[in-house]
Amino acid sequence: MSRKKADEQKRMRSAEWFGREGKYGFIPRSWMRSQGFGPELFDGRPVVGICNTWSELNPCNRHLRELAEHVKRGVLLAGGYPLEFPVMSLGEPLMRPTTMMFRNLVSMDVEETIRANPIDGVVLLAGCDKTTPALLMGAASCDIPSILVSGGPMLNGRFRGRDLGSGTDVFRFDEEYRSGRLSKEDYEEAEAAMSRSAGSCMTMGTASTMASLAEALGIALPMNGAIPAVDSRRRHLAEEAGHHIVSLVRGGMSISRVLTRAAFENAIVVNGAIGGSTNAVVHLLALAGRLGVPLSLDDWDRLGAGVPCLVDLKPSGRFLMEDFFDAGGVPR
Ligand code: FES
């Protein structure tokens, strides 16, 4: 083994499981071999966890198993070894009484799964509103190299030549139906036309806000927020993230070196510029708390108050995430 590789292996958490002599190395290696994994998993290369919130109970995240395959290809191409694992998923449309009740529970699921297992770095696959802060908070508590890949927004809804925004237009249709201005058939047609692809809500709601702010925080690749869920470029972004996490692990770039006070300040400014969700305040304060980064409501006032809103997206404006993507997303 070359000196460089030996040094690298010494730094890897996974070597504590796979690099050991005797029965404490035999047991993890032997059982992992039962899945058909070869000796490459044990040779000291970075082991990358892919933390997946895929669930058919969370329609916004239902395509994340496929996206995970693209992350895996990137990890393998960069010389790492990917291992995918599930955590609890939080889907706004179904969960009662509210997903917010479970955000911290999911962050504990993420944290304890990472801590308890031979994972050197992690790619976080999130989408629906609370899944993003929950996964970031869990990874932050472990302070290992991490990168977020969002599922991306669904395509714009289309109904009789008009764009429909997730959630926003439901209220209008409901009032028109109840007042007799919309027939039952039309109401049902609108229901089918609003959510017409995989992905999260395509307004600048909490999901798109958090996916965009992840770029501003430096914990996701550029365009993470805007590329539509079903666009081939999101798959390529997932592959790039797989590539990138391997270099972060090799460079010892833990999450606390990325999510600094300056990164949070940048995210606050970007939130003002994109007209992001007020829920971002709650989630970013919690994330900063996990890292011991001082951040307060006063910071939001001081840094965000004078920022002009540059984006005209629903629910407050006119357009949708596909338009934001066409306009160049957060980097623009
Ligand atoms: Fe999942 Fe809106 S309901 S992102």
Side-chain angles (χ1 to χ4, degrees), residues 239-276:
E239 185 179 306
E240 276 188 306
H243 220 276
H244 197 58
I245 188 70
V246 175
S247 8
L248 292 180
V249 172
R250 290 202 163 120
M253 193 71 177
S254 60
I255 194 169
S256 61
R257 292 178 62 191
V258 177
L259 298 182
T260 59
R261 164 90 188 169
F264 282 99
E265 290 183 350
N266 193 43
I268 290 172
V269 173
V270 170
N271 192 58
I274 63 174

Side-chain angles (χ1 to χ4, degrees), residues 168-285:
T168 310
D169 284 296
V170 173
F171 297 90
R172 182 170 57 80
F173 283 132
D174 198 55
E175 274 160 29
E176 287 178 5
Y177 174 56
R178 289 190 300 136
S179 64
R181 282 176 289 149
L182 197 67
S183 69
K184 186 163 181 10
E185 292 69 36
D186 288 349
Y187 190 65
E188 284 173 1
E189 203 182 313
E191 178 183 301
M194 183 173 288
S195 309
R196 66 190 181 97
S197 81
S200 47
C201 293
M202 76 321 245
T203 56
M204 188 55 85
T206 305
S208 294
T209 298
M210 293 306 295
S212 299
L213 295 190
E215 292 179 54
L217 287 165
I219 199 71
L221 294 176
M223 295 302 280
N224 176 68
I227 302 173
V230 294
D231 192 296
S232 56
R233 285 162 283 190
R234 180 155 296 278
R235 290 168 195 167
H236 184 63
L237 179 130
E239 185 179 306
E240 276 188 306
H243 220 276
H244 197 58
I245 188 70
V246 175
S247 8
L248 292 180
V249 172
R250 290 202 163 120
M253 193 71 177
S254 60
I255 194 169
S256 61
R257 292 178 62 191
V258 177
L259 298 182
T260 59
R261 164 90 188 169
F264 282 99
E265 290 183 350
N266 193 43
I268 290 172
V269 173
V270 170
N271 192 58
I274 63 174
S277 166
T278 49
N279 289 335
V281 179
V282 177
H283 297 318
L284 259 56
L285 289 176

Side-chain angles (χ1 to χ4, degrees), residues 78-136:
Y81 206 103
L83 296 175
E84 184 183 354
F85 63 94
V87 289
M88 184 182 181
S89 194
L90 305 176
E92 301 292 322
L94 303 187
M95 284 192 92
R96 295 176 183 173
T98 163
T99 51
M100 190 57 186
M101 201 168 94
F102 305 109
R103 185 200 64 181
N104 290 4
L105 177 63
V106 174
S107 78
M108 289 164 70
D109 185 354
V110 174
E111 175 183 350
E112 300 305 341
T113 304
I114 293 172
R115 272 195 209 289
N117 283 288
I119 292 171
D120 299 310
V122 67
V123 179
L124 308 164
L125 292 186
C128 199
D129 297 7
K130 311 299 185 297
T131 55
T132 299
L135 267 53
L136 287 174

